[in-house]
Amino acid sequence: MPEWDDYEATLPPPAYGKTWELKEVFTIMHVREAVRTIDDKKISARLVYDESRLNTARLPVVWSSANHWHRGSMYGTVGFHFKWEELIAGKNFYWIEAIEAYNPTAFRILICDPALTPPPAASTPYDPHRDKGPLRFWNGTWYWNGTYTSEFMYADDLSLERLSGFSFFKHHDTLCRYEGSACGERAQHQSKTGAIILAHVLACQRRSKILPRGGAKVGHLWRAHETAGRA
């Protein structure tokens, strides 16, 4: 039995279940990194260093997720949003793993160009049209299992020309993945984060066109999860 069967998104979606429509994913980061990303006009792919099967592969990725968190994110306060169908158009999917040490469990799926040969650690093809895992395509609509932490690993840089919007999130009040107790954003209100980022975006407008098509959305926290993914 494939590993992903344990995390199946039930179809058709139950009326009160946890199978949710997937329209958008986002990457979260701290303000300093977000400013640098805006200057670079892209989210740069990076190597994986955690407990993932990819931590020995030289494959840089951009992390994205569909999850939102009630207590805030451990990974930052600025969300870069992308339309799901535009992001995955013409791409292949590969199953990486499920990290059960996370609460809830995190499932990880690699998204890459057909010309890319995935590393052995992520060489199991995943077909959302056929496979009964946490990501599924049914009757013209994408779905995911919202009871788990979704981690979609995009094997390329993401240009901000593809950006659909920003969100400004509450940081987790006690946990920060990167700076621990030294993180100054743990007590920072979303309005301050938004003011910093939007001021920088507007300043950059004089030099380039990177304002997201969907605009900026402040405090977009409508799905509650007690964990945080990379995104």
Side-chain angles (χ1 to χ4, degrees), residues 193-222:
T193 301
I196 295 170
I197 296 301
L198 291 181
H200 193 73
V201 169
L202 292 174
C204 289
Q205 283 291 291
R206 300 187 182 96
R207 303 190 301 271
S208 62
K209 295 181 179 180
I210 61 169
L211 192 65
R213 290 167 291 170
K217 297 169 279 187
V218 180
H220 190 191
L221 299 172
W222 53 274

mmCIF file of all heavy atoms in Angstrom, residues 193-222:
data_model
loop_
_atom_site.group_PDB
_atom_site.id
_atom_site.type_symbol
_atom_site.label_atom_id
_atom_site.label_comp_id
_atom_site.label_asym_id
_atom_site.label_seq_id
_atom_site.Cartn_x
_atom_site.Cartn_y
_atom_site.Cartn_z
ATOM 1 N N THR A 193 3.605 44.876 10.249
ATOM 2 C CA THR A 193 4.222 44.088 9.177
ATOM 3 C C THR A 193 3.738 44.574 7.819
ATOM 4 O O THR A 193 4.527 44.787 6.894
ATOM 5 C CB THR A 193 3.875 42.597 9.345
ATOM 6 O OG1 THR A 193 4.331 42.143 10.612
ATOM 7 C CG2 THR A 193 4.512 41.762 8.238
ATOM 8 N N GLY A 194 2.421 44.768 7.702
ATOM 9 C CA GLY A 194 1.858 45.224 6.442
ATOM 10 C C GLY A 194 2.378 46.581 6.026
ATOM 11 O O GLY A 194 2.664 46.821 4.842
ATOM 12 N N ALA A 195 2.518 47.492 6.987
ATOM 13 C CA ALA A 195 3.007 48.834 6.672
ATOM 14 C C ALA A 195 4.433 48.784 6.129
ATOM 15 O O ALA A 195 4.766 49.477 5.156
ATOM 16 C CB ALA A 195 2.944 49.711 7.919
ATOM 17 N N ILE A 196 5.277 47.951 6.744
ATOM 18 C CA ILE A 196 6.671 47.838 6.299
ATOM 19 C C ILE A 196 6.748 47.288 4.880
ATOM 20 O O ILE A 196 7.437 47.834 4.010
ATOM 21 C CB ILE A 196 7.470 46.939 7.264
ATOM 22 C CG1 ILE A 196 7.566 47.582 8.648
ATOM 23 C CG2 ILE A 196 8.866 46.658 6.708
ATOM 24 C CD1 ILE A 196 8.128 46.662 9.714
ATOM 25 N N ILE A 197 6.018 46.196 4.643
ATOM 26 C CA ILE A 197 6.104 45.527 3.342
ATOM 27 C C ILE A 197 5.469 46.364 2.237
ATOM 28 O O ILE A 197 6.042 46.530 1.147
ATOM 29 C CB ILE A 197 5.448 44.135 3.412
ATOM 30 C CG1 ILE A 197 6.225 43.237 4.375
ATOM 31 C CG2 ILE A 197 5.378 43.505 2.025
ATOM 32 C CD1 ILE A 197 7.679 43.033 4.007
ATOM 33 N N LEU A 198 4.290 46.918 2.500
ATOM 34 C CA LEU A 198 3.630 47.702 1.459
ATOM 35 C C LEU A 198 4.412 48.970 1.131
ATOM 36 O O LEU A 198 4.469 49.397 -0.028
ATOM 37 C CB LEU A 198 2.207 48.038 1.880
ATOM 38 C CG LEU A 198 1.247 46.847 1.926
ATOM 39 C CD1 LEU A 198 -0.146 47.296 2.342
ATOM 40 C CD2 LEU A 198 1.189 46.126 0.588
ATOM 41 N N ALA A 199 5.042 49.578 2.135
ATOM 42 C CA ALA A 199 5.879 50.748 1.865
ATOM 43 C C ALA A 199 7.043 50.374 0.962
ATOM 44 O O ALA A 199 7.403 51.117 0.041
ATOM 45 C CB ALA A 199 6.387 51.335 3.180
ATOM 46 N N HIS A 200 7.618 49.195 1.212
ATOM 47 C CA HIS A 200 8.740 48.757 0.379
ATOM 48 C C HIS A 200 8.274 48.432 -1.040
ATOM 49 O O HIS A 200 8.952 48.769 -2.019
ATOM 50 C CB HIS A 200 9.406 47.537 1.012
ATOM 51 C CG HIS A 200 10.732 47.207 0.405
ATOM 52 N ND1 HIS A 200 11.860 47.962 0.621
ATOM 53 C CD2 HIS A 200 11.106 46.211 -0.446
ATOM 54 C CE1 HIS A 200 12.876 47.452 -0.052
ATOM 55 N NE2 HIS A 200 12.443 46.391 -0.711
ATOM 56 N N VAL A 201 7.111 47.784 -1.156
ATOM 57 C CA VAL A 201 6.570 47.468 -2.483
ATOM 58 C C VAL A 201 6.304 48.746 -3.271
ATOM 59 O O VAL A 201 6.663 48.857 -4.450
ATOM 60 C CB VAL A 201 5.279 46.635 -2.356
ATOM 61 C CG1 VAL A 201 4.567 46.542 -3.703
ATOM 62 C CG2 VAL A 201 5.588 45.237 -1.843
ATOM 63 N N LEU A 202 5.684 49.728 -2.632
ATOM 64 C CA LEU A 202 5.366 50.976 -3.328
ATOM 65 C C LEU A 202 6.631 51.707 -3.753
ATOM 66 O O LEU A 202 6.681 52.312 -4.832
ATOM 67 C CB LEU A 202 4.506 51.861 -2.428
ATOM 68 C CG LEU A 202 3.088 51.328 -2.172
ATOM 69 C CD1 LEU A 202 2.370 52.190 -1.147
ATOM 70 C CD2 LEU A 202 2.295 51.253 -3.466
ATOM 71 N N ALA A 203 7.667 51.639 -2.913
ATOM 72 C CA ALA A 203 8.939 52.254 -3.296
ATOM 73 C C ALA A 203 9.533 51.555 -4.512
ATOM 74 O O ALA A 203 10.085 52.192 -5.411
ATOM 75 C CB ALA A 203 9.911 52.198 -2.122
ATOM 76 N N CYS A 204 9.393 50.235 -4.546
ATOM 77 C CA CYS A 204 9.930 49.462 -5.671
ATOM 78 C C CYS A 204 9.137 49.685 -6.952
ATOM 79 O O CYS A 204 9.631 49.417 -8.048
ATOM 80 C CB CYS A 204 9.939 47.974 -5.328
ATOM 81 S SG CYS A 204 11.166 47.512 -4.090
ATOM 82 N N GLN A 205 7.899 50.157 -6.835
ATOM 83 C CA GLN A 205 7.078 50.393 -8.015
ATOM 84 C C GLN A 205 7.717 51.417 -8.950
ATOM 85 O O GLN A 205 7.457 51.429 -10.147
ATOM 86 C CB GLN A 205 5.692 50.878 -7.598
ATOM 87 C CG GLN A 205 4.782 49.780 -7.073
ATOM 88 C CD GLN A 205 4.378 48.815 -8.170
ATOM 89 O OE1 GLN A 205 3.627 49.164 -9.066
ATOM 90 N NE2 GLN A 205 4.892 47.610 -8.113
ATOM 91 N N ARG A 206 8.546 52.261 -8.404
ATOM 92 C CA ARG A 206 9.215 53.256 -9.243
ATOM 93 C C ARG A 206 10.232 52.600 -10.169
ATOM 94 O O ARG A 206 10.642 53.183 -11.161
ATOM 95 C CB ARG A 206 9.916 54.299 -8.369
ATOM 96 C CG ARG A 206 8.981 55.061 -7.436
ATOM 97 C CD ARG A 206 9.728 56.181 -6.733
ATOM 98 N NE ARG A 206 8.854 56.883 -5.807
ATOM 99 C CZ ARG A 206 8.778 56.626 -4.512
ATOM 100 N NH1 ARG A 206 9.543 55.676 -3.989
ATOM 101 N NH2 ARG A 206 7.962 57.293 -3.723
ATOM 102 N N ARG A 207 10.636 51.369 -9.796
ATOM 103 C CA ARG A 207 11.673 50.695 -10.573
ATOM 104 C C ARG A 207 11.154 49.484 -11.341
ATOM 105 O O ARG A 207 11.709 49.117 -12.362
ATOM 106 C CB ARG A 207 12.803 50.241 -9.642
ATOM 107 C CG ARG A 207 13.414 51.365 -8.839
ATOM 108 C CD ARG A 207 14.664 50.902 -8.124
ATOM 109 N NE ARG A 207 14.419 49.788 -7.227
ATOM 110 C CZ ARG A 207 14.075 49.933 -5.950
ATOM 111 N NH1 ARG A 207 13.898 51.143 -5.443
ATOM 112 N NH2 ARG A 207 13.889 48.879 -5.177
ATOM 113 N N SER A 208 10.098 48.834 -10.828
ATOM 114 C CA SER A 208 9.620 47.624 -11.487
ATOM 115 C C SER A 208 8.175 47.373 -11.117
ATOM 116 O O SER A 208 7.649 47.954 -10.171
ATOM 117 C CB SER A 208 10.470 46.416 -11.077
ATOM 118 O OG SER A 208 10.363 46.196 -9.686
ATOM 119 N N LYS A 209 7.528 46.461 -11.837
ATOM 120 C CA LYS A 209 6.131 46.131 -11.598
ATOM 121 C C LYS A 209 6.044 44.791 -10.881
ATOM 122 O O LYS A 209 6.113 43.737 -11.503
ATOM 123 C CB LYS A 209 5.370 46.065 -12.913
ATOM 124 C CG LYS A 209 5.290 47.400 -13.635
ATOM 125 C CD LYS A 209 4.511 47.275 -14.927
ATOM 126 C CE LYS A 209 4.421 48.620 -15.631
ATOM 127 N NZ LYS A 209 3.663 48.520 -16.899
ATOM 128 N N ILE A 210 5.881 44.835 -9.561
ATOM 129 C CA ILE A 210 5.776 43.586 -8.813
ATOM 130 C C ILE A 210 4.567 43.575 -7.899
ATOM 131 O O ILE A 210 4.389 42.644 -7.130
ATOM 132 C CB ILE A 210 7.041 43.328 -7.969
ATOM 133 C CG1 ILE A 210 7.232 44.457 -6.951
ATOM 134 C CG2 ILE A 210 8.256 43.157 -8.830
ATOM 135 C CD1 ILE A 210 8.295 44.150 -5.927
ATOM 136 N N LEU A 211 3.718 44.624 -7.963
ATOM 137 C CA LEU A 211 2.546 44.629 -7.103
ATOM 138 C C LEU A 211 1.655 43.456 -7.465
ATOM 139 O O LEU A 211 1.313 43.269 -8.628
ATOM 140 C CB LEU A 211 1.758 45.930 -7.271
ATOM 141 C CG LEU A 211 0.667 46.191 -6.230
ATOM 142 C CD1 LEU A 211 1.289 46.374 -4.858
ATOM 143 C CD2 LEU A 211 -0.152 47.411 -6.608
ATOM 144 N N PRO A 212 1.277 42.597 -6.507
ATOM 145 C CA PRO A 212 0.505 41.398 -6.815
ATOM 146 C C PRO A 212 -0.847 41.715 -7.422
ATOM 147 O O PRO A 212 -1.483 42.702 -7.079
ATOM 148 C CB PRO A 212 0.354 40.717 -5.450
ATOM 149 C CG PRO A 212 0.543 41.806 -4.454
ATOM 150 C CD PRO A 212 1.535 42.745 -5.072
ATOM 151 N N ARG A 213 -1.278 40.839 -8.315
ATOM 152 C CA ARG A 213 -2.554 41.029 -8.991
ATOM 153 C C ARG A 213 -3.719 41.042 -8.017
ATOM 154 O O ARG A 213 -4.704 41.719 -8.209
ATOM 155 C CB ARG A 213 -2.751 39.913 -10.023
ATOM 156 C CG ARG A 213 -1.831 40.016 -11.216
ATOM 157 C CD ARG A 213 -1.866 38.741 -12.018
ATOM 158 N NE ARG A 213 -1.236 37.647 -11.287
ATOM 159 C CZ ARG A 213 -1.294 36.382 -11.661
ATOM 160 N NH1 ARG A 213 -1.974 36.049 -12.737
ATOM 161 N NH2 ARG A 213 -0.685 35.443 -10.966
ATOM 162 N N GLY A 214 -3.608 40.270 -6.939
ATOM 163 C CA GLY A 214 -4.706 40.180 -5.992
ATOM 164 C C GLY A 214 -4.659 41.205 -4.883
ATOM 165 O O GLY A 214 -5.522 41.228 -4.016
ATOM 166 N N GLY A 215 -3.630 42.055 -4.866
ATOM 167 C CA GLY A 215 -3.504 43.042 -3.810
ATOM 168 C C GLY A 215 -2.974 42.432 -2.533
ATOM 169 O O GLY A 215 -2.475 41.315 -2.511
ATOM 170 N N ALA A 216 -3.074 43.162 -1.435
ATOM 171 C CA ALA A 216 -2.574 42.698 -0.144
ATOM 172 C C ALA A 216 -3.735 42.418 0.786
ATOM 173 O O ALA A 216 -4.708 43.156 0.826
ATOM 174 C CB ALA A 216 -1.657 43.752 0.467
ATOM 175 N N LYS A 217 -3.630 41.328 1.555
ATOM 176 C CA LYS A 217 -4.690 40.919 2.463
ATOM 177 C C LYS A 217 -4.122 40.841 3.872
ATOM 178 O O LYS A 217 -3.217 40.062 4.135
ATOM 179 C CB LYS A 217 -5.247 39.560 2.036
ATOM 180 C CG LYS A 217 -5.887 39.590 0.660
ATOM 181 C CD LYS A 217 -6.191 38.208 0.157
ATOM 182 C CE LYS A 217 -4.959 37.568 -0.428
ATOM 183 N NZ LYS A 217 -5.249 36.285 -1.080
ATOM 184 N N VAL A 218 -4.621 41.657 4.779
ATOM 185 C CA VAL A 218 -4.064 41.741 6.124
ATOM 186 C C VAL A 218 -4.767 40.762 7.055
ATOM 187 O O VAL A 218 -5.988 40.713 7.125
ATOM 188 C CB VAL A 218 -4.204 43.172 6.673
ATOM 189 C CG1 VAL A 218 -3.631 43.257 8.072
ATOM 190 C CG2 VAL A 218 -3.499 44.159 5.753
ATOM 191 N N GLY A 219 -3.963 39.981 7.791
ATOM 192 C CA GLY A 219 -4.517 39.084 8.799
ATOM 193 C C GLY A 219 -5.435 38.037 8.232
ATOM 194 O O GLY A 219 -6.494 37.748 8.780
ATOM 195 N N HIS A 220 -5.045 37.413 7.144
ATOM 196 C CA HIS A 220 -5.904 36.454 6.456
ATOM 197 C C HIS A 220 -5.799 35.097 7.160
ATOM 198 O O HIS A 220 -5.166 34.174 6.680
ATOM 199 C CB HIS A 220 -5.435 36.371 5.002
ATOM 200 C CG HIS A 220 -6.366 35.617 4.113
ATOM 201 N ND1 HIS A 220 -6.038 35.251 2.851
ATOM 202 C CD2 HIS A 220 -7.624 35.164 4.304
ATOM 203 C CE1 HIS A 220 -7.031 34.595 2.286
ATOM 204 N NE2 HIS A 220 -7.998 34.522 3.149
ATOM 205 N N LEU A 221 -6.433 34.983 8.342
ATOM 206 C CA LEU A 221 -6.306 33.789 9.181
ATOM 207 C C LEU A 221 -7.670 33.152 9.369
ATOM 208 O O LEU A 221 -8.325 33.336 10.379
ATOM 209 C CB LEU A 221 -5.716 34.155 10.550
ATOM 210 C CG LEU A 221 -4.322 34.777 10.530
ATOM 211 C CD1 LEU A 221 -3.949 35.256 11.915
ATOM 212 C CD2 LEU A 221 -3.308 33.772 10.044
ATOM 213 N N TRP A 222 -8.111 32.368 8.409
ATOM 214 C CA TRP A 222 -9.460 31.831 8.493
ATOM 215 C C TRP A 222 -9.513 30.328 8.603
ATOM 216 O O TRP A 222 -10.577 29.768 8.759
ATOM 217 C CB TRP A 222 -10.292 32.296 7.313
ATOM 218 C CG TRP A 222 -9.682 32.040 5.985
ATOM 219 C CD1 TRP A 222 -8.802 32.835 5.314
ATOM 220 C CD2 TRP A 222 -9.896 30.912 5.142
ATOM 221 N NE1 TRP A 222 -8.455 32.277 4.120
ATOM 222 C CE2 TRP A 222 -9.117 31.100 3.981
ATOM 223 C CE3 TRP A 222 -10.672 29.759 5.252
ATOM 224 C CZ2 TRP A 222 -9.085 30.186 2.949
ATOM 225 C CZ3 TRP A 222 -10.646 28.847 4.216
ATOM 226 C CH2 TRP A 222 -9.865 29.067 3.084
#
